[in-house]
């Protein structure tokens, strides 16, 4: 018997178990999204608890040493820490042509500072900032190039500060004291020289990467040229970049003064800037580890007793890491919950 063609629409066969497939309702989809967002907002607090359990001894030791310090100078150091968020927000705004909401931008930098202590090489802060920029409607190429401009300006701004405080503190610690050893310095120089060569080899071998790389460079150069024609952008960009390490150095100077370190403020500031420059090539979460060791070495090079230099560094870490970490994680969770991140 020949098969007859079907003129009407084909009706799908029912399921063998007698039940029809039920589409996912918008309410259920929204509930699943909200649950995932709540879980994501709790992850920073979970990371905070794990880190506190692993490194809680540092907090207890630092708190014990700071108990006998001058509380007003410690409060000044905490104020300098908070001003560091304002400086970071200025640099972030100066690195993008788009106008960003000031309150949310500052809150994002508080959250970025907390995330920065969990991942090395500023990856946590950059990831939070890129997410924030995307949520504000900034295109992804412009958001990523702003990160490159931010990093470059922050690195370049330290040079004039070092020169100024080298002149202001003529009895400075010998440079050989804070410089890394020959092997570390050779690795750093080799990495700087090999990085462009490795990038060129990768682009030559992997052709699909050429166009994105060219677009990235073109966007970066265009935005940098455009930003430096607008005083409302390049002034906060460079001003914030100069102020950020200076404010961090003022935290060290405040803690050192509170503990009675026998050094002047220019010497304390120079010790921090030199330590940050010497250990900046070693990637670590928030610079913890290499910067601490270099700072203790620099303070000891000035003649500070080793125990007092160690207490100063611990106090600096308590004010810049542990005290702001809980509110920073809470802000990060709140921004995730409000879909700002």
């Amino acid at each position: 018997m020949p098969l007859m063609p079907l003129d009407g629409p084909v009706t799908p066969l029912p399921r063998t178990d007698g039940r029809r497939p039920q589409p996912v309702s918008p309410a259920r989809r929204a509930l699943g999204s909200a649950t995932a967002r709540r879980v994501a907002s709790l992850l920073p607090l979970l990371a905070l608890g794990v880190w506190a359990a692993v490194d809680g001894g540092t907090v207890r030791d630092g708190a014990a040493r700071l108990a006998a310090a001058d509380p007003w100078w410690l409060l000044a150091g905490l104020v300098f820490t908070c001003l560091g968020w304002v400086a970071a927000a200025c640099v972030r705004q100066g690195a993008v042509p788009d106008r960003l909401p000031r309150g949310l931008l500052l809150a994002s930098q508080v959250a970025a500072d907390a995330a920065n202590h969990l991942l090395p090489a500023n990856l946590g802060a950059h990831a939070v900032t890129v997410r924030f920029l995307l949520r504000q409607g900034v295109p992804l190429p412009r958001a990523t190039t702003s990160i490159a401009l931010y990093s470059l300006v922050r690195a370049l701004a330290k040079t004039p500060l070092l020169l100024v405080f080298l002149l202001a503190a003529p009895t400075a610690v010998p440079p050989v004291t804070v410089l890394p050893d020959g092997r570390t310095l050779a690795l750093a120089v080799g990495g700087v020289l090999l990085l462009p060569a490795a990038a060129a080899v990768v682009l030559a071998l992997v052709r699909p990467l050429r166009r994105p790389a060219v677009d990235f460079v073109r966007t970066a150069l265009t935005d940098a040229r455009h930003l430096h024609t607008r005083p409302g952008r390049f002034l906060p960009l460079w001003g914030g970049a100069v102020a950020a390490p200076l404010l961090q150095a003022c935290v060290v100077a405040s803690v050192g003064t509170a503990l009675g370190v026998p050094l002047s403020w220019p010497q304390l500031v120079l010790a921090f800037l030199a330590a940050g420059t010497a250990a900046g090539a070693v990637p670590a979460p928030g610079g913890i580890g290499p910067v601490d060791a270099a700072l203790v070495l620099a303070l000891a090079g000035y003649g500070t007793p080793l125990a007092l230099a160690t207490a100063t560094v611990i106090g600096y870490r308590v004010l810049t890491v542990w005290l702001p970490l809980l509110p920073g994680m809470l802000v990060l969770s709140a921004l995730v919950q409000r879909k700002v991140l």
Side-chain angles (χ1 to χ4, degrees), residues 145 216-226:
T145 55
F216 176 84
V217 174
R218 183 183 296 113
T219 303
L221 294 177
T222 302
D223 285 354
R225 183 171 58 252
H226 177 59

Side-chain angles (χ1 to χ4, degrees), residues 117-181:
H117 298 302
L118 302 177
L119 294 174
N122 293 324
L123 293 179
H126 293 336
V128 170
T129 301
V130 169
R131 182 66 176 173
F132 170 74
L133 294 177
L134 294 178
R135 285 291 187 177
Q136 298 303 314
V138 179
L140 181 59
R142 178 168 291 172
T144 53
T145 55
S146 73
I147 298 300
L149 181 60
Y150 172 91
S151 303
L152 178 62
V153 170
R154 285 288 298 265
L156 293 177
K158 289 183 179 180
T159 303
L161 278 178
L162 268 175
L163 295 177
V164 168
F165 281 95
L166 277 173
L167 297 176
T171 58
V173 61
V176 69
T177 307
V178 296
L179 285 177
D181 57 21

